[in-house]
Amino acid sequence: MIKVFFVSCLVVLNLLGGTIQMDEQFKNAVADMGKENKLVLMIYTTDDCPECAYMKQKVFHDKAVEAYMSRNFIVIEKNVHKSKLPDGYDYFGIPTMFFIDKAGNKKETIIGSKRPQPFLNELRRIRGIK
């Protein structure tokens, strides 16, 4: 009986999460970047997060930020209340932005919103490209 309970728990846990490499949005992002040397920027949001909306509507659309992001990143968004979140990508607050390489290795995490220029500086630091 106990064995059946533990096996059932493992099955449920596997259905709830999964590795980043098994995440459909991540797989599509990697396919979209092809051979380009980009990182995936996965942002955790919610529908009622004003900081998330600020990042998506203002910061990501700042001319300098938008140009730099399009050259160096593929962006995917996960709503923490609606999306299946990959294992190992826990969040403390929102927005949380994870920078991930093609192999699924987490390179950096940013929590919270930033103004355009400081965010651009962070993107440049993370990429190591000026």
Side-chain angles (χ1 to χ4, degrees), residues 25-130:
Q25 283 181 296
F26 179 77
K27 288 194 285 190
N28 291 338
V30 170
D32 286 347
M33 70 177 76
K35 294 184 180 189
E36 294 182 67
N37 185 28
K38 293 185 176 186
L39 292 176
V40 172
L41 165 53
M42 180 170 64
I43 180 172
Y44 281 5
T45 66
T46 63
D47 293 334
D48 58 349
C49 170
E51 289 187 42
C52 302
Y54 174 76
M55 291 298 293
K56 292 187 292 185
Q57 294 169 4
K58 300 290 184 189
V59 177
F60 290 176
H61 290 291
D62 174 86
K63 287 182 182 184
V65 171
E66 188 171 31
Y68 191 83
M69 283 180 60
S70 70
R71 287 192 310 272
N72 294 288
F73 299 93
I74 299 287
V75 179
I76 58 177
E77 180 181 350
K78 299 246 180 226
N79 185 308
V80 299
H81 296 261
K82 298 176 183 176
S83 301
K84 183 176 171 183
L85 305 178
D87 293 340
Y89 291 84
D90 300 324
Y91 64 98
F92 177 72
I94 50 172
T96 296
M97 292 164 269
F98 300 100
F99 297 85
I100 311 161
D101 69 14
K102 288 181 182 182
N105 300 310
K106 189 184 329 177
K107 297 298 187 184
E108 188 85 27
T109 303
I110 295 175
I111 300 170
S113 65
K114 296 190 177 295
R115 293 203 166 277
Q117 190 57 50
F119 185 68
L120 182 58
N121 293 342
E122 285 291 304
L123 293 177
R124 289 180 175 145
R125 180 188 63 76
I126 291 165
R127 284 297 298 162
I129 301 169
K130 294 296 175 195

Side-chain angles (χ1 to χ4, degrees), residues 5-19:
F5 174 74
F6 284 116
V7 169
S8 298
C9 288
L10 288 174
V11 168
V12 168
L13 288 174
N14 284 332
L15 292 174
L16 293 176
T19 64

